[in-house]
Amino acid sequence: MFLTRIVYGIVYFVVLIYEIIKSTINVCFNSILGRNIDPIVVDIETVLERPVSQTILANSISLTPGTLSVDLDSENNIIKVAAISPRKKEDIIPFEPYIKKMLE
């Protein structure tokens, strides 16, 4: 059980680094070329129940270029996210399942 959580923690870290690099490249090209920039604020419902898990998810979203966590409603499990361009929920929080298996 404990080793499984450590493995998911390592996988989460690798996925987070990958998403940061991918988003950095995407934001740079979109900024230079001046395309696909349509700022939007969306409410994302999360399956995470623990406040520490929700906080880690919100901070991970803020670390990824092109997105920013604006508000966290722990009671209703909703994170308000500002994104530089419209995206699907899975594209904004691809690391949510790893946080769930790591901490919940």
Side-chain angles (χ1 to χ4, degrees):
M1 180 75 170
F2 179 71
L3 289 176
T4 306
R5 289 178 182 239
I6 290 176
V7 169
Y8 277 110
I10 293 169
V11 171
Y12 157 73
F13 183 71
V14 170
V15 170
L16 178 64
I17 296 298
Y18 171 73
E19 289 296 326
I20 288 173
I21 292 170
K22 185 174 83 170
S23 293
T24 301
I25 293 169
N26 187 16
V27 168
C28 286
F29 280 122
N30 287 341
S31 297
I32 290 170
L33 299 176
R35 63 175 186 189
N36 200 20
I37 296 177
D38 184 23
I40 188 170
V41 177
V42 293
D43 290 336
I44 296 181
E45 190 170 334
T46 179
V47 296
L48 302 175
E49 297 291 328
R50 296 179 61 201
V52 67
S53 301
Q54 294 171 354
T55 303
I56 289 174
L57 179 61
N59 287 334
S60 299
I61 292 169
S62 293
L63 281 173
T64 308
T67 56
L68 179 67
S69 299
V70 179
D71 188 30
L72 172 62
D73 185 2
S74 292
E75 294 176 4
N76 297 323
N77 298 342
I78 294 177
I79 300 174
K80 188 174 292 230
V81 178
I84 198 168
S85 62
R87 300 182 205 173
K88 296 184 289 189
K89 175 187 174 187
E90 296 80 25
D91 293 340
I92 294 177
I93 54 172
F95 23 76
E96 182 182 34
Y98 306 109
I99 295 172
K100 181 174 177 67
K101 291 180 181 177
M102 179 176 62
L103 294 174
E104 303 222 348

